[in-house]
Amino acid sequence: MSAIEHIPEFEAPVDNGLLRFLTCGSVDDGKSTLIGRLLYDTKAILADTLHAIEKTSQRRGMEAVDLSLLTDGLQAEREQGITIDVAYRYFSTGRRKYIIADAPGHEQYTRNMVTAASTANLAIILVDARKGVLTQTRRHSYLAHLVGIPHLLVAVNKMDLVGYDRTVFERIRDEYLEFARQLGINDVRFIPLSALNGDMLVERGENLDWYQGPTLIDILESALVAHSESDERFRFPVQYVCRPQKADDPVLHDYRGFMGRVESGEIAVGDEVVVLPSERRSRIKDIQIGGHSLPRAVAEQSATLLLEDEIDISRGDMIVRGSDEKLCPGAPASGTVSTGTALVTRRIEAMLCWLGESPLDLRRKYLIRQTTRESRGLLDGIAWRLDINSLQQVAAEGIGMNDIARVAFKLAQPLVVDRYVENRATGAFIVIDESTNNTVGAGMIL
Amino acid sequence: MSALAPTPIRHALDHLDWLEAEAIHILREVAGQCSNPALLFSGGKDSIVLLRLAEKAFRPGRFPFPLLHIDTGHNYPEVIDFRDARACELNERLIVRSVESSMARGTVRLKSADESRNKHQSVTLLEAIEEFGFDACIGGARRDEEKARAKERIFSFRDEFGGWDPKNQRPELWDLFNARVHKGENIRAFPISNWTELDVWQYIARENLALPSIYFAHERAVVRKGGLLQPVTELTPAREGDLVEQLRVRFRTVGDITCTAPVESGADTVHKIIAETATTTITERGATRLDDQASEAAMEQRKKEGYF
């Protein structure tokens, strides 16, 4: 399973792209041990790093090497023996590259979990076999689901401490499924394991013969990556406009390249496009990267689009496919224009997670950034707040740090949005406090 | 240096395609959000990769930022020559500011004449940021290099003293980067945060990028010190009693002569280096950096003080 065997010198290895996943669990669920074990078993930990944590483990009087020391990067974390911030870890099997977002499990750091979840396509939710499904487990599952992670994997860890008992695993699975059904979580899988002993991570081990399913690494190797599961509509937020304006070069004299990344769907030369919010139409004349032409561009690819007509486009505009969208008449200024699924709107309803230390100020205007577009926004009502312990909707007058609430914002400028459940890239926004320039909120458009 | 070649078409992005697309997206966000950015270019492999990514992001236009190098005056001449040649070849503006100038001004004072100038780069960098009014600096740091870096944002906020506060970082969600700063503050942006050393070498191979010669195996006089190889140079002469050996070595990372060590290697091509990187047992910084051995928190401390 190490990278070594899979990287022959002149033969291109199979490359299944890149999977971003999140690990979450309560304190002492063995999350750091799980990550340490994955890194160790895939040979992503090298000798000097291992040597350093061996020394630290000995100094703290531990018998075995504490693999959790691998993920605690900050001085304060080592001093307090806790994980404060999201850490990103990397490993590769030679077939696929992985980015792990390791979110701390402490209650006060809910915002880190949302941060880590925002870019993940799969979540490993750790459950301690001795403790079963806890409030924290429910909370993490809710957040993972809220932030739109398509695949959840419940890892029942520390099976060694319950004698590798099948009934313990099955009881936890059944309890979780009941709760998942209530939340509307559909894609969830279960695996029993012992991170400490390495059972069912990379190797099957000898203690879980009753479990016939795939190992953890097999699940990761075969998980579908983003944008591979459904037909998507083309979304291209413009980041930057390239106008070299070279008077002496006839090609570059009139060159206008619209630079951005295909957030979903794909586009080919000749396709009809619509620019939002202006609703101007044109066709793709050329697709380039680094000044070289490509016939098409696909989801997650950065590209430069050239159009057949000279129309005014700037950063913040969104290019969509003409044939996808049925434009309804009506000016954006008057309210909402529906373009199939994409909406040009001056009011958004959203699930908002508040990240700032000061509570949301109902009287102040905040900056809303969505794709490459910005608008001032003013809160236009709180429908309810989520009680994170009971997962019930409760009435709320205000929103403080780590609160999750259903809200509405009025916007000074129209945004071009999709529903978050349909498109994570165009349905997400952040809230910025202009006095500090800090990011104080994260929203998902309903 | 090979010309910028077209990227082959694929329907699903492989891991290098994905990393490249993400890095281009980050570079364009810096260009779109910041009014006066700069790209830190040292002639090292990570910043050479950054330049190729900038070509992919902005050609046929010019880069929307100058290149900036903070020179300790203790760099290998091959690397400095490469730096100048590459900037010239790309027809982009290169600004060089030197630690020696800061020493002459008195803003950098060495404890002793032979103290490494590496950590003092922070002072010169902050002076350059102030001189040109840069609101963002793009760097080639990677999260896999070091534990403190693993916790750093892609858009990392620095206060007016250039300081990084690891416990109070801006939340960074989705790909919605927040580069907003007030005057005097700035952003450090890291487009290849998610790359590993192996990814960098695989990309160098795929893009056929030229590198300074010292990255490849060559004969060099070295002295073994604390498990590392110290090159014998004018700045780091052999001391009495040192056993000088003539070994075949290459540099995995290239920086200030006084704190960068080569490793024993026979790898004289990119493909051989990839094979070696895939099977190495020592991390990049562990094998090569004399400055990170001091304590587990050495890098975090330097970063808090404005280091990259």
Side-chain angles (χ1 to χ4, degrees):
Chain A
M1 196 51 69
S2 81
I4 303 160
E5 298 143 38
H6 293 280
I7 301 183
E9 199 167 326
F10 294 112
E11 189 185 321
V14 179
D15 196 320
N16 265 335
L18 182 146
L19 182 76
R20 302 191 72 158
F21 69 94
L22 158 77
T23 53
C24 44
S26 309
V27 184
D28 300 331
D29 273 344
K31 178 165 54 74
S32 295
T33 310
L34 177 97
I35 294 172
R37 191 90 219 180
L38 270 179
L39 298 177
Y40 184 73
D41 285 357
T42 56
K43 313 234 181 336
I45 295 177
L46 300 179
D48 56 328
T49 308
L50 194 63
H51 182 63
I53 64 166
E54 271 170 1
K55 279 200 303 192
T56 310
S57 302
Q58 278 171 10
R59 208 166 54 231
R60 294 187 183 173
M62 297 169 183
E63 281 177 24
V65 176
D66 182 2
L67 290 172
S68 69
L69 292 170
L70 282 170
T71 54
D72 294 333
L74 301 176
Q75 213 167 1
E77 294 175 321
R78 285 190 296 275
E79 282 162 13
Q80 298 171 39
I82 55 162
T83 310
I84 291 172
D85 205 340
V86 181
Y88 296 93
R89 296 286 154 193
Y90 305 86
F91 71 96
S92 172
T93 56
R95 292 208 291 154
R96 184 171 258 187
K97 177 184 163 86
Y98 295 91
I99 304 179
I100 312 174
D102 179 19
H106 304 271
E107 297 191 24
Q108 62 269 42
Y109 297 123
T110 299
R111 71 175 203 172
N112 288 324
M113 156 96 198
V114 174
T115 302
S118 71
T119 51
N121 210 48
L122 180 145
I124 299 177
I125 294 169
L126 273 146
V127 175
D128 185 330
R130 296 167 305 170
K131 296 176 185 163
V133 177
L134 302 175
T135 303
Q136 281 273 31
T137 316
R138 293 197 174 87
R139 182 181 306 170
H140 289 145
S141 305
Y142 179 90
L143 291 174
H145 182 59
L146 177 77
V147 185
I149 297 179
H151 311 290
L152 299 191
L153 175 62
V154 177
V156 181
N157 190 27
K158 304 199 181 182
M159 287 300 293
D160 51 312
L161 297 181
V162 295
Y164 295 100
D165 186 345
R166 180 178 189 161
T167 56
V168 172
F169 171 72
E170 289 176 348
R171 194 168 62 234
I172 291 170
R173 182 192 62 196
D174 294 346
E175 189 188 346
Y176 189 95
L177 276 173
E178 173 65 25
F179 141 81
R181 201 173 44 80
Q182 290 164 15
L183 283 185
I185 297 173
N186 297 319
D187 186 350
V188 56
R189 300 175 74 164
F190 298 85
I191 185 170
L193 48 87
S194 165
L196 190 67
N197 296 334
D199 296 316
M200 223 43 88
L201 272 78
V202 176
E203 307 295 334
R204 297 192 71 84
E206 289 166 2
N207 300 306
L208 291 162
D209 290 341
W210 48 265
Y211 169 77
Q212 302 298 316
T215 60
L216 180 67
I217 198 79
D218 286 340
I219 293 173
L220 296 176
E221 292 277 76
S222 60
L224 292 172
V225 296
H227 304 284
S228 56
E229 289 163 74
S230 61
D231 290 339
E232 297 176 319
R233 287 166 190 260
F234 175 69
R235 298 285 182 260
F236 189 87
V238 175
Q239 290 184 274
Y240 193 76
V241 180
C242 175
R243 300 196 63 181
Q245 290 177 306
K246 274 195 179 166
D248 55 343
D249 184 331
V251 177
L252 294 184
H253 185 262
D254 295 320
Y255 185 99
R256 273 152 51 95
F258 305 109
M259 298 178 153
R261 188 172 59 176
V262 180
E263 293 297 350
S264 58
E266 60 177 78
I267 198 80
V269 173
D271 286 354
E272 191 195 359
V273 293
V274 182
V275 181
L276 295 174
S278 71
E279 297 180 41
R280 290 181 184 271
R281 285 176 179 266
S282 185
R283 279 184 189 280
I284 301 286
K285 184 168 77 178
D286 199 3
I287 300 171
Q288 301 185 345
I289 193 71
H292 292 275
S293 295
L294 309 169
R296 58 174 57 244
V298 300
E300 299 194 308
Q301 203 169 9
S302 287
T304 302
L305 303 184
L306 286 84
L307 302 185
E308 283 182 359
D309 307 280
E310 243 189 61
I311 49 181
D312 182 33
I313 300 177
S314 50
R315 176 176 166 87
D317 288 345
M318 176 113 72
I319 300 176
V320 302
R321 188 193 298 274
S323 55
D324 276 357
E325 316 295 332
K326 290 188 191 65
L327 292 174
C328 303
S334 65
T336 298
V337 176
S338 171
T339 60
T341 54
L343 281 174
V344 178
T345 180
R346 288 198 171 192
R347 187 174 187 278
I348 49 175
E349 292 192 18
M351 294 301 295
L352 178 70
C353 181
W354 196 250
L355 312 167
E357 298 207 355
S358 338
L360 187 151
D361 189 328
L362 307 180
R363 300 155 306 175
R364 278 181 63 196
K365 293 182 184 69
Y366 289 91
L367 200 65
I368 307 267
R369 168 170 292 148
Q370 175 259 353
T371 66
T372 55
R373 207 170 168 83
E374 281 180 0
S375 169
R376 293 239 165 77
L378 187 63
L379 194 78
D380 192 25
I382 305 171
W384 44 265
R385 183 176 66 78
L386 183 86
D387 180 323
I388 198 76
N389 293 312
S390 65
L391 299 179
Q392 299 296 311
Q393 300 168 9
V394 295
E397 299 292 310
I399 300 172
M401 180 143 136
N402 287 321
D403 279 350
I404 293 166
R406 181 179 171 143
V407 301
F409 278 102
K410 282 189 293 197
L411 305 170
Q413 299 294 324
L415 296 180
V416 184
V417 307
D418 288 293
R419 294 180 65 212
Y420 185 81
V421 291
E422 279 160 21
N423 198 320
R424 286 171 89 180
T426 51
F429 63 89
I430 56 172
V431 181
I432 297 169
D433 179 338
E434 283 179 283
S435 68
T436 60
N437 284 325
N438 208 350
T439 303
V440 291
M444 289 146 281
I445 294 167
L446 294 164
Chain B
M1 183 68 60
S2 77
L4 186 58
T7 309
I9 320 145
R10 287 181 195 86
H11 288 278
L13 302 187
D14 75 20
H15 85 279
L16 287 181
D17 293 332
W18 190 92
L19 291 170
E20 178 189 75
E22 181 194 45
I24 293 170
H25 180 254
I26 293 163
L27 286 166
R28 288 170 170 177
E29 277 306 287
V30 176
Q33 290 191 40
C34 304
S35 54
N36 188 19
L39 184 147
L40 290 165
F41 177 55
S42 63
K45 68 180 189 314
D46 296 320
S47 60
I48 289 168
V49 165
L50 278 188
L51 289 189
R52 170 49 50 95
L53 293 165
E55 286 183 90
K56 297 240 183 182
F58 300 110
R59 292 291 184 245
R62 304 256 329 252
F63 296 171
F65 36 70
L67 314 180
L68 170 66
H69 184 222
I70 304 302
D71 190 348
T72 61
H74 288 171
N75 286 294
Y76 287 96
E78 299 92 323
V79 179
I80 296 302
D81 292 347
F82 183 93
R83 174 198 76 188
D84 295 341
R86 187 69 186 125
C88 187
E89 188 181 17
L90 288 168
N91 194 25
E92 298 290 347
R93 179 176 169 220
L94 172 69
I95 299 166
V96 178
R97 287 294 175 268
S98 72
V99 175
E100 277 160 3
S101 306
S102 300
M103 287 160 60
R105 273 192 295 274
T107 47
V108 165
R109 288 166 200 250
L110 301 183
K111 289 192 203 91
S112 59
D114 62 351
E115 189 199 2
S116 170
R117 296 173 182 178
N118 191 56
K119 73 169 196 176
H120 297 291
Q121 287 180 89
S122 312
V123 174
T124 310
L125 174 62
L126 295 177
E127 286 171 352
I129 287 171
E130 194 176 339
E131 177 186 353
F132 292 95
F134 293 130
D135 57 352
C137 291
I138 302 160
R142 309 189 318 266
R143 284 173 177 157
D144 85 320
E145 282 179 83
E146 206 276 336
K147 290 211 275 190
R149 289 213 201 274
K151 304 252 164 166
E152 186 154 21
R153 304 292 183 256
I154 290 173
F155 279 58
S156 184
F157 174 77
R158 302 302 169 97
D159 64 23
E160 55 187 325
F161 299 100
W164 178 56
D165 182 358
K167 282 194 278 189
N168 194 21
Q169 301 191 73
R170 286 181 182 172
E172 193 163 79
L173 297 103
W174 298 288
D175 295 317
L176 295 172
F177 301 112
N178 175 0
R180 296 179 70 90
V181 290
H182 289 123
K183 201 169 161 42
E185 302 164 343
N186 72 93
I187 289 290
R188 307 283 169 92
F190 302 114
I192 61 169
S193 283
N194 285 326
W195 298 42
T196 61
E197 185 186 12
L198 187 59
D199 296 328
V200 167
W201 280 109
Q202 288 173 332
Y203 193 73
I204 287 167
R206 191 180 89 172
E207 295 292 316
N208 202 14
L209 297 177
L211 296 176
S213 57
I214 63 173
Y215 277 111
F216 301 98
H218 58 281
E219 296 279 328
R220 184 176 289 272
V222 295
V223 171
R224 292 181 196 273
K225 289 220 167 123
L228 297 176
L229 300 179
Q230 169 122 323
V232 178
T233 65
E234 277 180 33
L235 290 166
T236 53
R239 287 168 209 268
E240 216 177 295
D242 281 351
L243 175 66
V244 178
E245 296 175 77
Q246 200 69 27
L247 293 180
R248 209 161 158 70
V249 299
R250 67 179 174 91
F251 285 88
R252 278 173 76 183
T253 176
V254 162
D256 190 272
I257 290 173
T258 61
C259 67
T260 316
V263 293
E264 274 194 88
S265 169
D268 53 5
T269 67
V270 173
H271 284 290
K272 286 180 190 170
I273 292 173
I274 289 174
E276 228 176 61
T277 305
T279 56
T280 186
T281 56
I282 307 282
T283 60
E284 183 175 339
R285 295 196 82 86
T288 60
R289 296 300 291 220
L290 300 156
D291 51 348
D292 281 340
Q293 305 254 317
S295 82
E296 275 195 290
M299 169 69 90
E300 183 179 344
Q301 201 52 44
R302 284 207 307 278
K303 287 179 81 73
K304 284 175 178 168
E305 290 161 7
Y307 190 80
F308 234 87

